[in-house]
Amino acid sequence: HTHTHTHTHTHTHPSSHTSASSTRFAMASGASAALRGLALPLIVSPMFLVSTPRLVIETCRAGAVGTFPALNQRTTDGYEQWLSEVERGLALASHPAAAPPPPAPAPYGVNLIVHRTNPRLEADLAVTVKKKVPLVITSLGAVREVVDAVHSYGGLVFHDVVSVRHAQKAQEAGVDGLIAVCAGAGGHAGTTSPFALVAEIRKFFKKTLVLAGCVSSGGDVAAAIAMGADYAYSGTRFIATREAEASTKYKQMICDAASSDIIYTPNISGIPANFLRQSIVDAGMDPDALPPKTTIDLGAELTASKAWKDIWSAGQGSAAVSDIPTTRELLQRFKQEYDEAVKRVAARV
């Protein structure tokens, strides 16, 4: 696993091209040593059906952490092929013919759904360990066995939470980081204000904290850091990029949507989540009178379901999205906005 090894090396000893500001990210209270040397303290979230190796490779090459859900590939073999594809893409980026060489790409991550109805968890976890995936993001269940398996090769586990209770349970399971999924986030989300949730979690959790929910610009990333998070997490904004595996209609709907065009409901997947209201209408349903859904079967949901294919997930951050750039262009813009925001905050003192 040359690329994982290269990363470990790069991130333990920030190399000469690492700018002073990215070294500072790494020194934040709970920032993980393995995620040093990023151009921006940002993780692009693993989006069901939308995130592919192409999006991950472009994100990592531009200096942010790229991720994808294991279940975006229909089989465990397919998942392993995608991991190899990402590794190859990042290895090429690490050893270019160009001089001077560009900065080493950021590490990548995958999302595992830890829920009794995910029939692939065991097999996918075995492949994750075999391939030494640098970052594993777990959703729904925080389980000590999964954490220990990833720690066995030196990987990191970050867990999605929407409440303090979930955060405490994840801490007990030994996770390295928490992703606070706040009000307005795309997909499965909570309803708590980021100011409240970050402060509450910080009272007891001193490791890495990531803030998710409506992060749509570099200024939003800076705000997350100012608030006490170590990294920001952005999903919806990256659906509207050239590399994202979403239809032109889906991308355009995000560009056109206001925050009021997002509906928060448990009646699509059984777990409260944010969706584009118009996509529910287009699927022939009434967003204000959805039949209740009380069962959660992620095995069926995430493989065959109409729910996420025709009914499109997005967060209130859609309100800030108005174009469909390449991932590289978008991340360059984020970096510029981040630097401007940091200067603006400093100038206010």
Side-chain angles (χ1 to χ4, degrees), residues 102-150:
Y108 73 96
V110 301
N111 173 227
L112 298 179
I113 304 282
V114 183
H115 194 267
R116 65 186 184 281
T117 60
N118 174 8
R120 270 182 37 195
L121 178 61
E122 202 175 328
D124 288 355
L125 181 60
V127 165
T128 304
V129 172
K130 175 182 165 188
K131 300 293 273 183
K132 297 187 163 69
V133 175
L135 172 65
V136 174
I137 294 165
T138 52
S139 299
L140 301 184
V143 178
R144 172 69 69 174
E145 291 74 21
V146 174
V147 174
D148 289 346
V150 177

Side-chain angles (χ1 to χ4, degrees), residues 229-252:
D230 298 297
Y231 302 93
Y233 200 69
S234 181
T236 302
R237 171 61 273 203
F238 285 82
I239 299 174
T241 58
R242 303 280 175 82
E243 290 82 3
E245 193 65 33
S247 66
T248 309
K249 192 180 172 196
Y250 186 176
K251 294 176 186 182
Q252 193 55 49

Side-chain angles (χ1 to χ4, degrees), residues 39-291:
L40 202 62
L42 177 69
I43 298 168
V44 175
S45 72
M47 294 173 284
F48 186 58
L49 302 178
V50 171
S51 303
T52 60
R54 195 167 155 232
L55 182 61
V56 171
I57 291 164
E58 284 304 303
T59 300
C60 295
R61 281 179 171 174
V65 177
T67 65
F68 71 86
L71 291 173
N72 275 9
Q73 259 287 17
R74 292 190 162 272
T75 63
T76 297
D77 284 346
Y79 167 51
E80 186 166 357
Q81 284 162 18
W82 269 20
L83 291 175
S84 299
E85 191 180 328
V86 169
E87 287 179 350
R88 279 195 307 274
L90 297 183
L92 285 172
S94 301
H95 309 287
Y108 73 96
V110 301
N111 173 227
L112 298 179
I113 304 282
V114 183
H115 194 267
R116 65 186 184 281
T117 60
N118 174 8
R120 270 182 37 195
L121 178 61
E122 202 175 328
D124 288 355
L125 181 60
V127 165
T128 304
V129 172
K130 175 182 165 188
K131 300 293 273 183
K132 297 187 163 69
V133 175
L135 172 65
V136 174
I137 294 165
T138 52
S139 299
L140 301 184
V143 178
R144 172 69 69 174
E145 291 74 21
V146 174
V147 174
D148 289 346
V150 177
H151 284 172
S152 72
Y153 62 83
L156 292 171
V157 180
F158 288 2
H159 185 67
D160 273 346
V161 299
V162 299
S163 68
V164 168
R165 188 175 62 84
H166 288 156
Q168 286 164 336
K169 284 170 81 167
Q171 183 177 38
E172 286 160 22
V175 301
D176 304 288
L178 293 174
I179 301 161
V181 186
C182 300
H188 297 147
T191 54
T192 308
S193 155
F195 290 98
L197 195 54
V198 166
E200 276 188 298
I201 291 173
R202 268 291 181 236
K203 283 180 189 168
F204 61 89
F205 188 75
K206 303 305 177 199
K207 295 179 185 175
T208 305
L209 181 56
V210 184
L211 175 61
C214 306
V215 172
S216 308
S217 70
D220 296 344
V221 176
I225 305 304
M227 203 186 295
D230 298 297
Y231 302 93
Y233 200 69
S234 181
T236 302
R237 171 61 273 203
F238 285 82
I239 299 174
T241 58
R242 303 280 175 82
E243 290 82 3
E245 193 65 33
S247 66
T248 309
K249 192 180 172 196
Y250 186 176
K251 294 176 186 182
Q252 193 55 49
M253 196 178 286
I254 287 173
C255 291
D256 296 341
S259 55
S260 58
D261 293 317
I262 304 300
I263 181 172
Y264 183 71
T265 175
N267 295 334
I268 303 291
S269 71
I271 300 167
N274 280 305
F275 297 93
L276 288 157
R277 173 180 279 271
Q278 188 58 45
S279 72
I280 297 175
V281 173
D282 291 351
M285 297 157 81
D286 177 356
D288 300 311
L290 290 169

Side-chain angles (χ1 to χ4, degrees), residues 326-343:
T326 66
T327 302
R328 174 169 289 278
E329 288 164 349
L330 181 58
L331 284 165
Q332 284 168 344
R333 186 192 307 170
F334 262 60
K335 178 77 179 106
Q336 198 177 342
E337 292 165 342
Y338 180 90
D339 292 340
E340 285 165 7
V342 169
K343 288 193 189 101

